[in-house]
Amino acid sequence: MTDNVYALDSTKGNYAYLISGEEIILIDTGRPGQGKGILNDLKSVGIEPHDVKHIVITHHDVDHIGSLAFLQQATGAKIWASKEDIPYIYGEKSRHGIKKLVSYIMRVKKPENINPYPEDGKIGNIGVITAPGHTPGHVCIIYNGVLFAGDLFRTSKGKIAPMKSFMNWNDSVLKESLAKIDNYDFEWICPAHGEPLKRNGQLKELY
């Protein structure tokens, strides 16, 4: 997409992303067991585990935090998530609906020392945008004209598409977040589910 942004092949279907700017930043960590594949993807572009300075989490779903504890130990990176979603990652709160069953089936090792996002929404040269709805503390990440959408929406057949309602914590809040995100300036959209694509004005169709 851009010189400094990579969609990691080992997580295709629930993409984690890499930013290799002034600081190396990993966005999300895939499902349990995908950590070694992520490290191999990093090595393929010349990045060693200790080069990763930050791991930022868009939300608490198992397919986004599944390899977080493994990668935290492998990289020594600083871990960031929203204060609303941190209790779910630690297992202090139960997930919504079917996600409770998924988290029971896909047991996830708990990470340590998760930092809540700064109030100014800045970590290095990325911006963190609060965008709840899919989960209570869902965020999007913006960097150099690229929006990392997490599960705020997905893409399918070259178009933006809504997430399935039963997977969302609150549909009406999610629509407010979609309207909010639509006001930001970005050229590329990088979802977790579906392929990255260029922005084409379709967000308004979802809210």
Side-chain angles (χ1 to χ4, degrees):
M1 290 148 296
T2 72
D3 290 340
N4 296 331
V5 173
Y6 301 85
L8 301 183
D9 288 339
S10 64
T11 61
K12 188 172 183 178
N14 58 294
Y15 275 123
Y17 291 92
L18 174 72
I19 297 174
S20 63
E22 294 176 11
E23 292 185 307
I24 307 284
I25 298 173
L26 181 64
I27 300 174
D28 289 331
T29 65
R31 298 188 301 270
Q34 289 187 311
K36 290 183 179 179
I38 289 173
L39 292 181
N40 287 334
D41 285 342
L42 300 188
K43 288 180 180 179
S44 73
V45 293
I47 295 172
E48 296 297 324
H50 65 267
D51 295 328
V52 180
K53 300 307 178 188
H54 303 280
I55 299 176
V56 297
I57 299 299
T58 59
H59 62 292
H60 66 64
D61 286 354
V62 172
D63 57 339
H64 293 255
I65 58 100
S67 294
L68 178 55
F70 173 85
L71 290 168
Q72 181 181 42
Q73 185 172 17
T75 65
K78 195 168 187 178
I79 310 301
W80 300 90
S82 68
K83 62 182 180 183
E84 293 85 1
D85 271 22
I86 287 174
Y88 296 93
I89 299 173
Y90 281 146
E92 297 167 353
K93 286 187 175 181
S94 295
R95 290 176 167 88
H96 165 79
I98 193 174
K99 295 179 183 182
K100 185 183 297 185
L101 176 61
V102 172
S103 63
Y104 179 79
I105 295 171
M106 299 177 69
R107 294 301 179 94
V108 177
K109 186 178 179 181
K110 303 297 187 295
E112 300 176 352
N113 302 321
I114 305 174
N115 299 278
Y117 286 122
E119 290 186 7
D120 65 1
K122 297 291 184 183
I123 298 173
N125 53 356
I126 69 169
V128 180
I129 308 167
T130 57
H134 184 69
T135 69
H138 186 284
V139 304
C140 296
I141 307 296
I142 196 163
Y143 166 78
N144 199 26
V146 180
L147 179 80
F148 301 91
D151 284 2
L152 188 62
F153 53 85
R154 59 191 175 91
T155 63
S156 177
K157 299 179 181 179
K159 294 183 178 181
I160 295 171
M163 298 298 293
K164 301 294 185 183
S165 183
F166 71 90
M167 295 298 290
N168 295 330
W169 165 69
N170 188 308
D171 280 340
S172 62
V173 171
L174 185 142
K175 288 183 179 181
E176 292 173 3
S177 293
L178 286 165
K180 175 183 177 180
I181 290 296
D182 204 17
N183 290 320
Y184 282 80
D185 183 24
F186 52 90
E187 181 181 4
W188 280 95
I189 291 171
C190 292
H193 303 287
E195 297 299 317
L197 51 77
K198 282 198 170 184
R199 183 178 187 173
N200 55 12
Q202 295 179 68
L203 274 175
K204 286 184 173 57
E205 298 176 11
L206 300 186
Y207 66 88

